[in-house]
Short mmCIF file of all heavy atoms in Angstrom, two decimals:
data_model
loop_
_atom_site.label_atom_id
_atom_site.label_comp_id
_atom_site.label_asym_id
_atom_site.label_seq_id
_atom_site.Cartn_x
_atom_site.Cartn_y
_atom_site.Cartn_z
N ARG A 1577 -1.07 13.90 2.66
CA ARG A 1577 -1.68 15.14 2.20
C ARG A 1577 -3.20 15.03 2.21
O ARG A 1577 -3.90 15.98 2.54
CB ARG A 1577 -1.18 15.41 0.77
CG ARG A 1577 -1.43 16.80 0.28
CD ARG A 1577 -0.95 16.96 -1.13
NE ARG A 1577 -1.75 16.17 -2.05
CZ ARG A 1577 -2.01 16.52 -3.30
NH1 ARG A 1577 -1.50 17.64 -3.78
NH2 ARG A 1577 -2.75 15.75 -4.08
N ARG A 1578 -3.70 13.87 1.83
CA ARG A 1578 -5.15 13.69 1.70
C ARG A 1578 -5.50 12.32 2.24
O ARG A 1578 -4.73 11.38 2.06
CB ARG A 1578 -5.49 13.79 0.21
CG ARG A 1578 -6.93 13.95 -0.11
CD ARG A 1578 -7.17 14.44 -1.53
NE ARG A 1578 -8.60 14.45 -1.74
CZ ARG A 1578 -9.27 13.50 -2.41
NH1 ARG A 1578 -8.62 12.51 -2.97
NH2 ARG A 1578 -10.58 13.57 -2.53
N ARG A 1579 -6.65 12.19 2.86
CA ARG A 1579 -7.08 10.87 3.36
C ARG A 1579 -8.57 10.70 3.09
O ARG A 1579 -9.37 11.47 3.61
CB ARG A 1579 -6.76 10.67 4.83
CG ARG A 1579 -6.62 11.89 5.68
CD ARG A 1579 -6.08 11.61 7.08
NE ARG A 1579 -4.99 12.54 7.39
CZ ARG A 1579 -3.82 12.17 7.83
NH1 ARG A 1579 -3.58 10.90 8.07
NH2 ARG A 1579 -2.87 13.07 8.07
N VAL A 1580 -8.89 9.70 2.29
CA VAL A 1580 -10.28 9.44 1.92
C VAL A 1580 -10.57 7.97 2.17
O VAL A 1580 -9.79 7.10 1.78
CB VAL A 1580 -10.50 9.72 0.41
CG1 VAL A 1580 -11.95 9.43 0.02
CG2 VAL A 1580 -10.13 11.15 0.06
N GLY A 1581 -11.68 7.69 2.81
CA GLY A 1581 -12.07 6.31 3.04
C GLY A 1581 -13.44 6.03 2.45
O GLY A 1581 -14.36 6.84 2.59
N ILE A 1582 -13.57 4.88 1.79
CA ILE A 1582 -14.86 4.47 1.21
C ILE A 1582 -15.46 3.39 2.11
O ILE A 1582 -14.75 2.45 2.49
CB ILE A 1582 -14.67 3.87 -0.21
CG1 ILE A 1582 -13.92 4.84 -1.11
CG2 ILE A 1582 -16.01 3.48 -0.81
CD1 ILE A 1582 -13.45 4.21 -2.43
N ASP A 1583 -16.73 3.53 2.42
CA ASP A 1583 -17.40 2.46 3.18
C ASP A 1583 -18.90 2.53 2.90
O ASP A 1583 -19.45 3.61 2.73
CB ASP A 1583 -17.15 2.61 4.69
CG ASP A 1583 -17.29 1.28 5.41
OD1 ASP A 1583 -18.45 0.79 5.55
OD2 ASP A 1583 -16.26 0.70 5.80
N ARG A 1584 -19.53 1.33 2.89
CA ARG A 1584 -20.97 1.36 2.65
C ARG A 1584 -21.70 1.85 3.89
O ARG A 1584 -22.86 2.24 3.82
CB ARG A 1584 -21.47 -0.02 2.21
CG ARG A 1584 -21.26 -1.10 3.21
CD ARG A 1584 -21.67 -2.44 2.64
NE ARG A 1584 -21.27 -3.49 3.54
CZ ARG A 1584 -21.11 -4.75 3.20
NH1 ARG A 1584 -21.31 -5.11 1.95
NH2 ARG A 1584 -20.74 -5.65 4.07
N ASN A 1585 -21.02 1.82 5.02
CA ASN A 1585 -21.64 2.32 6.26
C ASN A 1585 -20.58 3.02 7.10
O ASN A 1585 -20.18 2.54 8.14
CB ASN A 1585 -22.25 1.15 7.03
CG ASN A 1585 -22.96 1.62 8.28
OD1 ASN A 1585 -23.41 2.76 8.35
ND2 ASN A 1585 -23.05 0.77 9.28
N PRO A 1586 -20.09 4.18 6.66
CA PRO A 1586 -19.01 4.83 7.41
C PRO A 1586 -19.52 5.35 8.76
O PRO A 1586 -20.68 5.76 8.87
CB PRO A 1586 -18.61 6.00 6.50
CG PRO A 1586 -19.79 6.26 5.63
CD PRO A 1586 -20.52 4.96 5.49
N LEU A 1587 -18.64 5.31 9.74
CA LEU A 1587 -19.02 5.81 11.07
C LEU A 1587 -18.27 7.11 11.36
O LEU A 1587 -17.07 7.20 11.09
CB LEU A 1587 -18.64 4.77 12.14
CG LEU A 1587 -19.37 3.44 12.05
CD1 LEU A 1587 -18.88 2.50 13.13
CD2 LEU A 1587 -20.89 3.64 12.16
N ASP A 1588 -19.00 8.07 11.89
CA ASP A 1588 -18.40 9.36 12.23
C ASP A 1588 -18.18 9.39 13.74
O ASP A 1588 -19.13 9.56 14.52
CB ASP A 1588 -19.35 10.48 11.80
CG ASP A 1588 -18.78 11.85 12.12
OD1 ASP A 1588 -17.73 11.92 12.82
OD2 ASP A 1588 -19.37 12.85 11.68
N LEU A 1589 -16.93 9.21 14.15
CA LEU A 1589 -16.66 9.05 15.59
C LEU A 1589 -16.77 10.35 16.37
O LEU A 1589 -16.60 10.36 17.59
CB LEU A 1589 -15.31 8.38 15.82
CG LEU A 1589 -15.21 6.95 15.30
CD1 LEU A 1589 -13.97 6.27 15.83
CD2 LEU A 1589 -16.44 6.12 15.66
N ARG A 1590 -17.05 11.47 15.69
CA ARG A 1590 -17.38 12.69 16.44
C ARG A 1590 -18.80 12.57 17.01
O ARG A 1590 -19.19 13.34 17.87
CB ARG A 1590 -17.27 13.91 15.52
CG ARG A 1590 -15.83 14.17 15.09
CD ARG A 1590 -15.78 15.20 14.00
NE ARG A 1590 -16.52 14.73 12.82
CZ ARG A 1590 -16.75 15.46 11.74
NH1 ARG A 1590 -16.30 16.69 11.68
NH2 ARG A 1590 -17.42 14.96 10.71
N ASN A 1591 -19.53 11.60 16.49
CA ASN A 1591 -20.89 11.35 16.96
C ASN A 1591 -20.85 10.23 18.02
O ASN A 1591 -20.45 9.11 17.72
CB ASN A 1591 -21.71 10.94 15.71
CG ASN A 1591 -23.10 10.48 16.06
OD1 ASN A 1591 -23.43 10.24 17.21
ND2 ASN A 1591 -23.90 10.33 15.03
N PRO A 1592 -21.25 10.54 19.28
CA PRO A 1592 -21.13 9.54 20.36
C PRO A 1592 -21.83 8.22 20.05
O PRO A 1592 -21.38 7.16 20.46
CB PRO A 1592 -21.78 10.23 21.56
CG PRO A 1592 -21.77 11.69 21.24
CD PRO A 1592 -21.80 11.82 19.74
N GLU A 1593 -22.93 8.28 19.29
CA GLU A 1593 -23.65 7.02 18.98
C GLU A 1593 -22.84 6.13 18.06
O GLU A 1593 -22.86 4.91 18.18
CB GLU A 1593 -25.00 7.35 18.33
CG GLU A 1593 -25.98 7.89 19.33
CD GLU A 1593 -27.39 7.49 19.02
OE1 GLU A 1593 -27.65 6.94 17.95
OE2 GLU A 1593 -28.24 7.72 19.90
N ASP A 1594 -22.13 6.75 17.11
CA ASP A 1594 -21.30 5.95 16.21
C ASP A 1594 -20.13 5.32 16.97
O ASP A 1594 -19.76 4.17 16.72
CB ASP A 1594 -20.77 6.82 15.05
CG ASP A 1594 -21.82 6.99 13.95
OD1 ASP A 1594 -22.98 6.61 14.19
OD2 ASP A 1594 -21.49 7.50 12.87
N LEU A 1595 -19.55 6.08 17.89
CA LEU A 1595 -18.45 5.54 18.70
C LEU A 1595 -18.96 4.37 19.55
O LEU A 1595 -18.31 3.32 19.65
CB LEU A 1595 -17.84 6.65 19.57
CG LEU A 1595 -16.70 6.22 20.50
CD1 LEU A 1595 -15.54 5.58 19.73
CD2 LEU A 1595 -16.17 7.42 21.30
N LEU A 1596 -20.14 4.54 20.13
CA LEU A 1596 -20.72 3.48 20.96
C LEU A 1596 -21.00 2.23 20.13
O LEU A 1596 -20.74 1.10 20.57
CB LEU A 1596 -22.02 4.01 21.60
CG LEU A 1596 -22.61 3.18 22.73
CD1 LEU A 1596 -21.61 3.02 23.86
CD2 LEU A 1596 -23.89 3.84 23.24
N LEU A 1597 -21.48 2.43 18.90
CA LEU A 1597 -21.75 1.29 18.03
C LEU A 1597 -20.46 0.52 17.74
O LEU A 1597 -20.40 -0.71 17.86
CB LEU A 1597 -22.38 1.75 16.70
CG LEU A 1597 -22.70 0.62 15.71
CD1 LEU A 1597 -23.80 -0.29 16.25
CD2 LEU A 1597 -23.10 1.17 14.35
N LEU A 1598 -19.40 1.26 17.41
CA LEU A 1598 -18.12 0.61 17.11
C LEU A 1598 -17.61 -0.16 18.34
O LEU A 1598 -17.15 -1.30 18.23
CB LEU A 1598 -17.11 1.68 16.68
CG LEU A 1598 -15.87 1.22 15.94
CD1 LEU A 1598 -16.21 0.39 14.72
CD2 LEU A 1598 -15.03 2.43 15.53
N LYS A 1599 -17.75 0.46 19.51
CA LYS A 1599 -17.28 -0.19 20.73
C LYS A 1599 -18.12 -1.42 21.07
O LYS A 1599 -17.63 -2.38 21.66
CB LYS A 1599 -17.29 0.80 21.90
CG LYS A 1599 -16.20 1.85 21.76
CD LYS A 1599 -16.42 3.01 22.68
CE LYS A 1599 -15.68 2.87 23.96
NZ LYS A 1599 -15.81 4.09 24.81
N SER A 1600 -19.39 -1.40 20.67
CA SER A 1600 -20.27 -2.53 21.02
C SER A 1600 -19.85 -3.82 20.31
O SER A 1600 -20.24 -4.91 20.72
CB SER A 1600 -21.73 -2.19 20.69
OG SER A 1600 -21.95 -2.26 19.29
N PHE A 1601 -19.04 -3.72 19.25
CA PHE A 1601 -18.60 -4.92 18.54
C PHE A 1601 -17.28 -5.48 19.09
O PHE A 1601 -16.79 -6.49 18.59
CB PHE A 1601 -18.47 -4.63 17.04
CG PHE A 1601 -19.80 -4.47 16.37
CD1 PHE A 1601 -20.20 -3.25 15.88
CD2 PHE A 1601 -20.65 -5.56 16.25
CE1 PHE A 1601 -21.44 -3.10 15.27
CE2 PHE A 1601 -21.89 -5.42 15.66
CZ PHE A 1601 -22.29 -4.19 15.16
N VAL A 1602 -16.71 -4.80 20.07
CA VAL A 1602 -15.49 -5.32 20.72
C VAL A 1602 -15.93 -6.42 21.69
O VAL A 1602 -16.89 -6.25 22.44
CB VAL A 1602 -14.75 -4.19 21.46
CG1 VAL A 1602 -13.59 -4.75 22.28
CG2 VAL A 1602 -14.24 -3.15 20.44
N TRP A 1603 -15.23 -7.55 21.67
CA TRP A 1603 -15.62 -8.66 22.53
C TRP A 1603 -15.48 -8.29 24.00
O TRP A 1603 -14.57 -7.53 24.38
CB TRP A 1603 -14.77 -9.90 22.21
CG TRP A 1603 -15.04 -10.42 20.85
CD1 TRP A 1603 -16.21 -10.38 20.17
CD2 TRP A 1603 -14.09 -11.03 19.96
NE1 TRP A 1603 -16.06 -10.94 18.93
CE2 TRP A 1603 -14.79 -11.34 18.76
CE3 TRP A 1603 -12.74 -11.34 20.06
CZ2 TRP A 1603 -14.16 -11.95 17.68
CZ3 TRP A 1603 -12.13 -11.95 18.99
CH2 TRP A 1603 -12.84 -12.26 17.81
N ALA A 1604 -16.37 -8.85 24.80
CA ALA A 1604 -16.38 -8.55 26.24
C ALA A 1604 -15.01 -8.82 26.86
O ALA A 1604 -14.36 -9.81 26.52
CB ALA A 1604 -17.44 -9.41 26.92
#
Side-chain angles (χ1 to χ4, degrees):
R1577 195 182 68 147
R1578 193 163 176 259
R1579 24 189 132 231
V1580 179
I1582 305 168
D1583 205 288
R1584 61 185 171 201
N1585 183 25
L1587 296 178
D1588 181 351
L1589 295 193
R1590 293 169 299 174
N1591 173 348
E1593 286 214 350
D1594 279 11
L1595 178 57
L1596 193 58
L1597 180 67
L1598 198 54
K1599 288 166 95 175
S1600 75
F1601 288 111
V1602 172
W1603 294 327

